[in-house]
Amino acid sequence: MRGVASPRLARRASAWRRDLAARLRHAEARWSLVLEGPLATGETAARTFAVRRADGAAAVLKLAPPGQALEAEATALAAFAGRGAARLLAADLPAGALLIERLSPGTALRHLAARDDDAATLAAAGVMAALRRPPPPGAVLAEAAGWVRALDRALEAPGPLPRPMLARAARLMRELAAGAPPPVLLHGDLHAGNILRDGAAGWRAVDPKGLIGDPAFEAAAFLRDPPGPAARAARRVALLAEATGLPRERIAAWGYAGAALAAAWAVEDGSDPARWCAAAEAMAPALA
């Protein structure tokens, strides 16, 4: 999920992309890498490449605009230390470069979810449990509950989103924050596309946002993507609660609020929020 990019940040990202070839050559030389080719990219400015290290080990090179988002990702990966997530091998934050362990075969969990959603949900729960740990000492990371500001912006401005959904989600987020347990380090975007198969190690995460907050927040991204029928959403909540030991009601509330947040960010980004509104609607019965 993303917030609004200012014109200044948009210009910086555009300039960064123009220099991508030079940045790639710099990283190859710095870490003695052999480039194998680009990997699939999402909607962000970041670009990833399959590479080999000098010893022949497979790795992923991630190039992204330097700044707080990349620093938070590097902090999270370093703190996870390979337990539940791909390992951070090296970082050059001023250059916007991360060298990350390549997971093999790297098949996304969403492929399992398409044929056995219960199994995928339990796999996601296992990753959530493996990642759970206290925030790293001294780390400066955003608080997940602070994302309520996106809902406030949506409520204050005219737009296509249902006002009752936004108001309910904002209220839930504030209630969740008020009664939150001690915060943990969060991946922050643990949907089924960011959980990959890794041989005997099972499933591990990639592309963390790097946040701190309520442990139950970690379920939100998985619950909303892809949206499904209400019965499926309720079963996912029940399975996640049983497997992680987290309160069912907090998982459900974060699932609803997270879907509404995704809808608000979609509108800010100029994309269609329909799928996220559908996810919130499917989550609503689980709040009862």
Side-chain angles (χ1 to χ4, degrees), residues 9-111:
L9 291 177
R11 288 193 296 271
R12 284 178 54 192
S14 178
W16 180 87
R17 283 190 291 268
R18 287 196 298 271
D19 295 336
L20 182 61
R23 296 179 187 278
L24 179 56
R25 290 193 298 270
H26 174 80
E28 288 178 289
R30 173 174 181 143
W31 290 319
S32 301
L33 304 175
V34 175
L35 179 65
E36 293 187 334
L39 297 171
T41 58
E43 298 177 353
T44 67
R47 296 293 181 266
T48 55
F49 302 87
V51 296
R52 292 276 172 182
R53 307 180 77 186
D55 61 2
V60 171
L61 174 64
K62 181 170 186 174
L63 300 177
Q68 190 275 334
L70 192 69
E71 292 173 11
E73 178 176 353
T75 296
L77 287 173
F80 291 140
R83 291 169 294 168
R87 189 178 301 274
L88 179 67
L89 304 175
D92 183 348
L93 294 177
L98 302 181
L99 190 63
I100 304 165
E101 177 186 10
R102 195 192 315 176
L103 306 184
S104 179
T107 309
L109 184 61
R110 61 168 47 112
H111 296 290

Side-chain angles (χ1 to χ4, degrees), residues 148-159 161 163 166-167 170 174 264 268:
V148 71
R149 290 188 291 272
L151 297 172
D152 293 339
R153 290 194 299 269
L155 280 165
E156 291 168 0
L161 297 177
R163 315 304 281 183
L166 295 172
R174 289 190 165 90
E268 289 183 345

